[in-house]
Amino acid sequence: MIEATDITEDAFLGGQLRLRQKRSGHRAGHDAILLAAATGAQAGDRVVDFGAGVGTAGLALARRVEGIRLSLVEIDPELAELARANAAANAIAAETIVLDVTADAQAFAANGLLPDSVDAVLMNPPFNDPARHRGSPDQARHAAHVATGETLHAWVHAARRILRSSGALTLIWRADGIADVMAALSRGFGSLAILPVHGEAGKPAIRVLVRAVKGGRAPTRLLPGLMLNEESNVPKKEVRDILEGKAEVTLAEP
């Protein structure tokens, strides 16, 4: 059981979403909100958030797009319980599933995630390379941030299995790992849209937002980069609007 003193309540989307999360370990931030803003969905769609944590990305998407059928998949039972409570506290309908994303098809099916049954998957997998990144001594933070060599491929494989034909996967990843993303998506996905995300002007991208369509055949599109901050290190207005839930990030073709 998590002690009350170990929990904070934080506002997202300009106060439209209030989430309880653990004081230590992985903390929700800009990546989850950017991911939610970049995920296309409409009322009635079945949407699955892989590695949902306390529910940040999935619940932010559900706040923007009313009427989606949302499932939050999280391996850590404590985080999953926080996600369940956060959904209820924000009056958002969502089911929470305690499940390892790398589990087999039988485990997914036992939790109602059948092959070819989902319209959209969004995910913010652990993405730091253990060969180049000193992991946190906090086990929860380490698990949330550091990937094994197979992490991305396993998560993409799971998404491909449950997505219906023409369903879309949206993910966020570190920019210097774009080759890994392309390799993981090379089987079964196409119609890629890639948005580089830059922290500062004149600096290399730090993240990529990627949308891929199951069975898609359109050419890959590299979109103009999203700059998070002005030269004064103040967030740009378009980014503030995204973080406050006033704007979305469009990756799908018009």
Side-chain angles (χ1 to χ4, degrees), residues 7-239:
I7 297 295
T8 65
E9 183 173 301
D10 304 289
F12 295 85
L13 302 180
Q16 298 179 63
L17 189 67
R18 299 195 66 85
L19 302 177
R20 298 176 75 238
Q21 57 181 330
K22 295 172 72 172
R23 191 180 301 276
S24 60
H26 175 67
R27 302 271 296 172
H30 288 3
D31 282 3
I33 300 303
L34 289 173
L35 175 62
T39 301
Q42 57 187 2
D45 282 355
R46 185 164 192 205
V47 179
V48 179
D49 180 3
F50 278 177
V54 300
T56 312
L59 295 177
L61 174 59
R63 180 61 81 219
R64 175 169 62 85
V65 184
E66 294 184 2
I68 62 172
R69 295 173 292 145
L70 176 64
S71 296
L72 304 171
V73 175
E74 171 55 44
I75 191 173
D76 185 325
E78 289 187 342
L79 295 182
E81 182 54 39
L82 283 170
R84 185 178 292 110
N86 283 333
N90 287 278
I92 294 173
E95 69 167 341
T96 303
I97 300 171
V98 179
L99 179 66
D100 185 345
V101 174
T102 65
D104 61 20
Q106 185 175 357
F108 269 70
N111 285 278
L113 297 173
L114 300 172
D116 307 308
S117 66
V118 169
D119 297 290
V121 172
L122 63 158
M123 64 188 196
N124 178 12
F127 55 51
N128 285 319
D129 183 345
R132 293 185 293 165
H133 177 83
R134 175 180 287 181
S136 168
D138 183 291
Q139 290 186 354
R141 185 181 290 269
H142 184 278
H145 287 278
V146 178
T148 69
E150 298 302 315
T151 298
L152 182 59
H153 283 271
W155 284 47
V156 168
H157 173 72
R160 182 173 60 246
R161 186 173 60 227
I162 65 171
L163 279 167
R164 62 170 177 78
S165 179
S166 299
L169 165 63
T170 307
L171 64 91
I172 189 166
W173 193 257
R174 65 177 201 279
D176 64 1
I178 185 61
D180 298 324
V181 174
M182 299 292 284
L185 294 171
S186 64
R187 180 184 171 198
F189 284 99
S191 305
L192 273 60
I194 303 170
L195 175 67
V197 179
H198 300 259
E200 302 176 40
K203 297 289 183 68
I206 56 174
R207 298 284 187 270
V208 284
L209 283 161
V210 181
R211 180 181 185 271
V213 177
K214 182 176 176 178
R217 295 184 179 277
T220 294
R221 296 179 301 128
L222 182 61
L223 304 175
L226 175 66
M227 192 70 60
L228 296 181
N229 297 314
E230 304 279 7
E231 291 185 4
S232 59
N233 212 32
V234 174
K236 294 174 70 71
K237 183 183 183 305
E238 67 173 310
V239 174

